[in-house]
Amino acid sequence: MKQLVIPDVSLGAVGPEIVLVVTAILLLLLEVFTARKEKGYLAYTALGGVLLASAMTANMNGYTEMNFSGMYVVDNFASFFKLVCLLGTGMTILVSVTYTINEGISNGEYYALLLFATSGMFFMISGSDMVTIFMGLEVMSISLYALAGYTRNREKSNEAALKYFVLGALASAFLLYGIALIYGATGSTKLAIIGDSLRTGIANYHLIIIGAALLVVGFGFKISAVPFHMWAPDVYQGAPAPVTAFMSSGPKAATFAAFLRVFNEALPSMQADWWQIFWILSVMTMTVGNIMALRQTDVKRMLAYSSIAHAGYILMGFTTGDWFGVSAILFYMLVYTFMNIGVFAVVTIVARKNEEKTTFEDYTGLGYKHPIIGVTLVVLLFSLIGIPPTAGFVGKFYIFMSALQQGYVWLVIIAVVNSVISVFYYLRLTIVMYMTEETTEALPSLSLSPSLVTALIISIYGSLWLGVMPSSYITFAQAASLIP
Amino acid sequence: MESIPLLSILIFTPVIGMLSLIFVDNKNKNLIRSLAFGISAINFLVSLLLLTNFKTTHEMQFVEKHLWIKDFGVYYSLGVDGISLFLVLLTTLTAAICFASTWKAITKHVKEFMISMLMLEAGMIGTFCALDFFLFYIFWEVMLIPMYFIIGIWGGQRRIYAAVKFFLYTMIGSVLMLVAIIWMYFHYNELTGEYSLDILSYHGLPIDPAIQIWLFLAFFLAFAIKVPMFPFHTWLPDAHVEAPTAGSVILAGILLKMGTYGFLRFSLPIFPEATIASINWISVLAIIGIVYGALVAMVQSDIKKLVAYSSVSHLGFVVLGIFALNTQAIEGGLLQMINHGLSTGALFLIVGVLYERRHTRLISEYGGIAAKMPIFAVIFMVVTLSSIGLPGLNGFVGEFLILLGVWESNKLFAILASTGVVWAAIYMLWMYQRVMFGKVTNPKNMDLQDLNLREISYFAPLLILIFVLGIFPTPVIKMMEPSVVHLIDQVGIENRKPLVTVIKEPDKKSNSNYKKLISANNKNIITSRSEKLTKVLNHVYSNSNRKKNSPQ
């Protein structure tokens, strides 16, 4: 009789995940026993969980372990991405506090969903098996579908949730199909084994190619790469502003992490084939994103396209297939999280009760009425454009460097021309904030809660400090690059 | 003197001023103005220490070098030589004058304006001092932000259009330069095995001429837009007309010099072969700029636009001089950069004085002002003559040296360019005549006030320099000369010593080999990686060289 083998289980390796899930369940319980008016502390409970998880993750830095019979891996790469996701979640919670109270959705479930989504991201980031990655992706996505529709009285929010769900389910099906085909070709879902069988040439090459293409579709959907980006503008616009901030940071980072891990660990021997796919994907994504963003009249929609364009820049790092490109992606993701959540924090501040004010006109005179918010937004926008001395510049510089090192001169030229195009729509916000005549309808005074101020300070810190003194973060990113 | 980081002090004094202004109450406008002026005046006085401590060699002086981003090999490194010294001084002087000139002109959002101006000053000084590509690029781009806001917030009717156009034009040039910089960074690494962005170590770097021309063009575009050379000049009239006076003065006085400075610091010494190959077409563009700028200036009805187009013409001279590639012409070009900064800066201040009083810049609105404003008339006349290039005033020396040098290298170019001097006399004097002479026809001009003490005192240093540089230019030229001679040595191909033994770039095949080798051998830390890269590269190169040499 075959002996039953109990796999090694190291709970230490999944410590942060356990903390997140336990905190989320705790929030659900507390929700039941808390009176409606006293729910303010729930956000801080969630924040506490995030901080604890961050401390545990940071503690794991420099430590590599394969666990759960090779289904789950903890390494520097994973720790870096997890910290980026936690940063995104933590800042989202800070941004959400006032908003959720104003909207009357300050419930434990909201924060619990954020934490569940984060735990899903963790499983994607650390998954060294296609199945783990898929599970993580689904946990994350389903939480996000619910969050997108969280302001259930608002029509747009419902529409966003439905669209996101239908298209997301389709993308998941593609991903699953891809996994199945690769399993069929190699007989395994473990990344390392797939990689080995490709190297030794046992695998059915055609099946692998189709499988890899389907994986690109599935992951491409989540990172909103063109042509799989259709959902992004509608969902970004319809979802509550803090949720949009969340969607544009953590989930994207986690998908990039899984994307990188799958292609660099399972399919590295096909790099000669897939760099072209990423080259095309990257060019299409940044160009379409930037050009579409030009014509938007809604700030959230504009930011959705801007986020698509940034995914295009990040995809440039994929084409290289070397450690330098991966570390550039890591650094960019960190910078992007800082600056993008900051921008959405401002959007959340400007968006008022019941009706989100998100057209460009709503920002008229913001720079004079609220100088601090104005300057913050300007710094963040210049960081998004990539003007020094902001972090956005160093991030772009790093990505461009990694692509040029491999000789992709045209890719980089297209990318810099794209950054010039992006100037148009980012500057439009500064124009309405500072340069147009103040309209008769004065901007109402906006309230700044301490939590929002904290979020803004963090994002300004990230957007400037990483631009002026990026050295230690770059070293950190390079130590975390997946490929040795 | 060695131990004091003079250049960092010059750069960061405005930054500190900027940060301290944030905490001043918005309503206390005079305090804000005096603080900003005080800071820039102190900065100017400090910058005079550069002049007194400058040693006449071509070496970089007041050098500061600190490791900044170790993974990219980026240093915080500053220094000035004979080329940049006077531009730094011009910057600190112009900035101080601008702060003095805005006392009455800017009344809205004073604090924001002063903060922008100080940020601009820091960026400009930094650009002239930076000796590391990364640092240079940061300062180069940082200037865009305050200038964009200065035009866009305090500008005229079409300010938004002008501001965005300015931003886009400048940015499209500089991003391509960024690509070229990164390309060279890896090229440098292939040749030497080190990662460095030190500008001086790129001087004389062997680059295949076929690629050099592309890199040269990328840099050229960035600088030509900034200068601006024909046909990239269209942003300039818009920006000048819309910008407030102080913005125009900075724009004409300093920002335009960034382009010509870039030619001298980067294009010539880094891409000598491409420079020599491009002399003719660049000179032709410069001459078109001289004549076209002058002709368009002649038909302007707006004084400010006239001065803006005259800048296109004057900077055509500077570029022509630089690309004549001999000592006189380049020295003349450098001197003309200073002269143009002084005289065109003064011209924009003059336009500002008129505009503050009458809120119009149309020539037809004026006439007979000389009678009403005698002091102003004298100052205006001197500045006009300096701009034309009257002997005895500064403009003459620069233009004369340029034409002398150009004559040596190409007589036809010199003849064509000298017509520009004639055109300049026509459009400037004609404008002066229409504005200042005759009878006062427009009743609104009847009770114009002459210059007050504040206005006279900010014109005074400019006028003194116009005379001093016109009569005693020799000390200045002497201080420039070693750097200019050194620069010409670097361009002269026969004098160039290759930095390392010249090796051909790896061809496609060996390139992909080394990619594989690199990815096979990588370690996390760049330093160990670069050692390996060198080994790998040496191996690859020695193979390819052997193959190449074997048939002979």
Side-chain angles (χ1 to χ4, degrees), chain B residues 51 54 56-57 82-83 85-86 327-336 338-339 394 396-402 404 468-485:
Chain B
L51 193 66
F54 188 80
T56 312
T57 64
I83 294 172
L85 171 71
F86 293 100
T327 327
Q328 280 120 339
I330 293 184
E331 277 169 10
L334 255 173
L335 208 56
Q336 192 62 5
I338 317 282
N339 294 337
N394 62 346
F396 173 72
V397 187
E399 275 178 12
F400 183 72
L401 280 173
I402 292 174
L404 204 67
V468 169
L469 285 177
I471 301 167
F472 308 110
T474 330
V476 175
I477 294 179
K478 273 215 173 119
M479 287 170 97
M480 293 170 176
E481 191 149 271
S483 301
V484 173
V485 171

Side-chain angles (χ1 to χ4, degrees), chain B residues 229-247:
Chain B
M229 283 179 72
F230 179 86
F232 309 110
H233 65 281
T234 54
W235 65 269
L236 182 80
D238 286 316
H240 267 316
V241 170
E242 300 307 327
T245 302

Side-chain angles (χ1 to χ4, degrees), chain B residues 9 75 82 118 476 500 530:
Chain B
I9 292 174
Y75 281 82
L118 287 170
V476 175
V500 286
S530 71

Side-chain angles (χ1 to χ4, degrees), chain A residues 323 405-406 430 435 468 475, chain B residues 68 148 159 515 522 529:
Chain A
W323 69 277
Q405 191 183 28
Q406 299 298 331
T430 67
M435 298 176 193
V468 179
T475 314
Chain B
W68 181 14
Y148 165 72
R159 58 184 186 277
K515 255 190 223 173
N522 273 319
R529 179 168 159 268

Side-chain angles (χ1 to χ4, degrees), chain B residues 306-307 310-311 313-314 317 336 339-340 342-347 380-390 393-396 399 420-421 423-425 427-429 431 466:
Chain B
L306 186 147
V307 181
S310 84
S311 288
S313 180
H314 284 299
F317 270 109
Q336 192 62 5
N339 294 337
H340 177 263
L342 296 172
S343 52
T344 308
L347 277 174
F380 194 176
M381 192 71 227
V382 173
V383 173
T384 306
L385 292 175
S386 138
S387 174
I388 296 168
L390 184 82
L393 299 179
N394 62 346
F396 173 72
E399 275 178 12
V421 184
W423 295 122
Y427 64 76
M428 287 305 294
L429 290 177
M431 184 264 281
I466 284 176

